[in-house]
């Protein structure tokens, strides 16, 4: 049993029943020219989640933890794209249109794929999802059940959209989630902050919040605990 320093209190887990869930680290969100920018956002704030998420990914792999990646996107024929989602944002280009990284948020396109820093390796399932939550219309439940997963360490973008939606869905299904604050990011710093607060409030109503240093510490206790230096936000 390992414990991650977390809020509202320590998060206990065992590696065989825990997975690292890496949510939507796709070019379409973190680089200019993709879906995030088409919605009117400056994508640069998302880049700061990549180094902590990469460190956690490598540490979890080294510890033998199961890793799952997700990608938000749609079939090339857009048959899984609700018309209401297609028009949302009223951008000049919307989902399915051609941008500098290929068709926006369409599976198989450059922009839809995961950035190199945290790219999946063999044996790590990639769950393609048409919605914000990773459980809706996906095989994620089957994957978690097959591997006996009970706990999720969560990194991803964006904090208040796909991360929060997925954590809420997971919590309702009985999974214990700890969200790593510096392994997540939002286009809006205040939404990042509040998105995390909403998870850990009320005794951890949706789950726990921690950070990359605390996870590294829990996985390799000989590393000095530096989590406290910047708090848990
Ligand atoms: N727009 C926004 O903040 N996020 C998304 O549309 N999807 C994810 O969070 N992945």
């Amino acid at each position: 049993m390992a414990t991650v320093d977390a809020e509202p209190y320590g998060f206990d887990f065992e590696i065989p029943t825990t997975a690292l869930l890496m949510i939507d680290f796709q070019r379409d969100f973190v680089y200019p020219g993709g879906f995030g920018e088409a919605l009117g956002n400056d994508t640069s704030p998302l880049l700061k989640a990549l180094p902590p998420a990469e460190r956690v990914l490598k540490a979890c792999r080294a510890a033998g933890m199961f890793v799952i990646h997700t990608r938000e996107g749609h079939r090339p024929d857009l048959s899984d794209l609700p018309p209401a989602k297609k028009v949302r944002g009223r951008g000049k280009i919307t989902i399915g249109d051609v941008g500098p990284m290929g068709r926006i948020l369409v599976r198989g396109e450059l922009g839809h794929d995961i950035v190199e820093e945290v790219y999946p390796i063999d044996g790590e399932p990639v769950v393609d999802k048409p919605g914000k939550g990773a459980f809706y219309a996906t095989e994620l439940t089957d994957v978690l059940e097959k591997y006996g997963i009970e706990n999720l360490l969560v990194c991803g973008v964006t904090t208040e959209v796909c991360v929060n939606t997925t954590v809420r869905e997971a919590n309702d299904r009985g999974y214990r989630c700890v969200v790593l604050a510096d392994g997540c990011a939002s286009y809006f710093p205040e939404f990042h902050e509040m998105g995390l607060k909403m998870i850990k409030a009320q005794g951890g109503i949706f789950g726990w919040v921690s950070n990359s240093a605390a996870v590294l510490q829990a996985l390799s206790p000989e590393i000095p605990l530096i989590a406290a230096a910047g708090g848990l936000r």
Side-chain angles (χ1 to χ4, degrees):
M1 178 77 73
T3 303
V4 180
D5 188 20
E7 290 176 344
Y9 51 87
F11 181 85
D12 295 330
F13 71 100
E14 287 177 350
I15 288 173
T17 54
T18 303
L20 172 65
L21 186 60
M22 300 284 284
I23 298 180
D24 298 4
F25 281 114
Q26 298 161 254
R27 292 188 185 87
D28 256 320
F29 295 108
V30 306
Y31 293 154
F35 182 57
E37 191 176 71
L39 293 173
N41 299 304
D42 168 13
T43 55
S44 60
L46 269 52
L47 294 175
K48 68 176 186 293
L50 285 177
E54 184 179 0
R55 286 194 291 275
V56 168
L57 175 62
K58 287 180 172 162
C60 287
R61 282 174 178 161
M65 190 183 289
F66 190 48
V67 179
I68 305 168
H69 304 258
T70 71
R71 298 183 297 201
E72 179 180 350
H74 298 277
R75 296 179 188 145
D77 64 5
L78 305 183
S79 57
D80 58 354
L81 174 62
K85 183 176 178 183
K86 164 78 177 161
V87 301
R88 194 70 52 80
R90 297 178 171 177
K92 279 199 204 77
I93 58 170
T94 61
I95 298 169
D97 295 341
V98 177
M101 295 187 290
R103 294 178 69 203
I104 300 276
L105 227 55
V106 169
R107 295 177 193 167
E109 303 288 332
L110 180 69
H112 174 264
D113 209 359
I114 295 169
V115 298
E116 280 178 18
E117 291 90 330
V118 293
Y119 204 77
I121 59 174
D122 282 353
E124 296 176 353
V126 179
V127 173
D128 280 318
K129 61 190 183 66
K132 305 305 181 193
F135 288 85
Y136 169 66
T138 73
E139 68 279 25
L140 181 57
T141 301
D142 293 339
V143 172
L144 296 175
E145 285 178 3
K146 177 177 172 187
Y147 288 90
I149 300 301
E150 299 168 4
N151 314 300
L152 297 170
L153 310 186
V154 183
C155 292
V157 294
T158 61
T159 313
E160 81 281 14
V161 181
C162 291
V163 171
N164 248 271
T165 306
T166 298
V167 167
R168 290 168 186 227
E169 288 183 334
N171 182 58
D172 279 348
R173 286 164 174 78
Y175 297 100
R176 299 167 70 249
C177 299
V178 57
V179 178
L180 308 186
D182 57 343
C184 298
S186 167
Y187 302 117
F188 307 92
E190 67 273 32
F191 292 171
H192 175 75
E193 184 99 353
M194 286 302 159
L196 297 172
K197 278 189 177 170
M198 282 189 260
I199 288 165
K200 69 186 179 188
Q202 304 185 61
I205 192 81
F206 297 121
W208 287 254
V209 174
S210 186
N211 59 36
S212 60
V215 169
L216 266 53
Q217 161 73 20
L219 293 175
S220 309
E222 68 274 15
I223 297 173
L225 181 61
I226 53 172
L232 288 168
R233 300 192 321 182

